[in-house]
Amino acid sequence: HFFRRYALVSFLCAFPLQCQVQENADKWQYCWLFEVGNMRNSHLKTVRKLWKECVLRLPQYLPSTSPKPHAPSSSTARIFFGRGAVMAKALGTSPETEHRPGLHKLATQIKGQVGLFFTDSPPSEVLEWFADFAQPDFARTGNTAPRTVVLPAGPVLQQHSSPPEPFPHNEEPQLRRLGLRTRMERGVPTLDAPHTVCVKGKALAPEQTQLLKLVGIKMVTFRGGLRARWEAASGEVEQVEGQEVEGAGAGEDEEGSGIGDEVDEQMSE
């Protein structure tokens, strides 16, 4: 009985998503398959929010003299992320089962941590936007350190602020628990010798990631990379080169299993 109930619940949860994917395949001109590097649910929500607000280019990438980006008068995109098997089934994984001509060639590529991005925006705009979008973040346990980080002798500084400020005295116990051999000097946690936090190329331990976050050093970057594009008019699928991302698949265990549920929402009202 347990397995029957589990199968029924799984079916009921998957069926609405399958229908939504198919509805959007009927609605939009393009369907892109994308992957993410150093997955963070909050950043994926940022992507959703920016396209919902019709911002085709992020303000930080535009010169101050640039005009405001063109904002389409209607909805600009719809994102589905997670539940790859359900998305693949919705598109159809063979010529006989595909929902629309050519979609099986996209469905068979749905493997790992990938999503579907439906839009009518010109391919050149989508390619440029994804190439530009990047959000720095803190590394997580198991990530490979992209560089060596050494804290110099002297006051331990918080990199969150600009300019960096010394840690307050009440945080010294936490610094010591994370491996720093500090002493108090005029109420400031201080190192007598340089301390190596991590070494380039080595996997980060929990204490290292906690210390990097506490100090304020971001070592990874959330990016979205486009893999392939399906075009409704022709039914053709074109592979995308040059948008590979680092850290693809990283972070999924810590983000939890609700990624698809939280991001599978209409991109525009």
Side-chain angles (χ1 to χ4, degrees), residues 210-245:
Q210 291 177 49
L211 182 55
L212 288 166
K213 187 171 184 178
L214 192 63
V215 174
I217 298 176
K218 296 181 178 181
M219 300 192 71
V220 300
T221 302
F222 171 93
R223 285 185 179 277
L226 300 167
R227 285 189 182 179
R229 179 185 76 248
W230 170 80
E231 183 177 359
S234 65
E236 294 298 319
V237 171
E238 181 176 337
Q239 300 303 122
V240 178
E241 304 294 338
Q243 285 218 6
E244 295 78 11
V245 295

Side-chain angles (χ1 to χ4, degrees), residues 16 54 60 95 102 113 121 125 128 135 143 157 159 171-173 197 201:
C54 304
Q60 59 263 41
Q113 202 168 35
S121 296
E125 286 185 354
E128 184 179 0
Q135 296 287 292
N143 285 151
L157 301 178
Q159 306 294 328
E171 293 202 37
E172 193 204 17
V197 179

Side-chain angles (χ1 to χ4, degrees), residues 53-227:
E53 295 176 351
C54 304
V55 179
L56 298 186
R57 296 197 187 182
L58 295 179
Q60 59 263 41
Y61 294 108
L62 296 172
S64 58
T65 55
S66 296
K68 186 175 180 179
H70 169 65
S73 57
S74 60
S75 58
T76 59
R78 176 78 186 266
I79 282 181
F80 294 90
F81 193 86
R83 299 185 184 179
V86 178
M87 294 191 297
K89 184 177 181 180
L91 298 181
T93 55
S94 68
E96 294 75 26
T97 61
E98 63 185 9
H99 181 66
R100 294 190 65 182
L103 277 176
H104 80 278
K105 290 178 282 187
L106 199 68
T108 53
Q109 299 183 55
I110 299 179
K111 298 175 182 178
Q113 202 168 35
V114 298
L116 298 176
F117 182 83
F118 291 95
T119 185
D120 288 338
S121 296
S124 59
E125 286 185 354
V126 178
L127 286 165
E128 184 179 0
W129 194 92
F130 272 86
D132 282 345
F133 184 81
Q135 296 287 292
D137 211 316
F138 297 106
R140 289 181 171 171
T141 301
N143 285 151
T144 299
R147 65 182 186 276
T148 297
V149 174
V150 179
L151 301 181
V156 184
L157 301 178
Q158 302 178 87
Q159 306 294 328
H160 298 281
S161 56
S162 182
E165 298 178 351
F167 273 86
H169 67 89
N170 60 348
E171 293 202 37
E172 193 204 17
Q174 174 72 350
L175 294 173
R176 294 182 68 86
R177 280 194 295 270
L178 295 176
L180 294 188
R181 296 181 177 179
T182 56
R183 62 179 176 81
M184 296 298 291
E185 183 174 311
R186 297 181 181 179
V188 174
T190 303
L191 289 170
D192 286 329
H195 176 88
T196 300
V197 179
C198 60
V199 177
K200 180 180 179 179
K202 292 190 175 182
L204 295 168
E207 295 78 10
Q208 292 172 305
T209 57
Q210 291 177 49
L211 182 55
L212 288 166
K213 187 171 184 178
L214 192 63
V215 174
I217 298 176
K218 296 181 178 181
M219 300 192 71
V220 300
T221 302
F222 171 93
R223 285 185 179 277
L226 300 167
R227 285 189 182 179

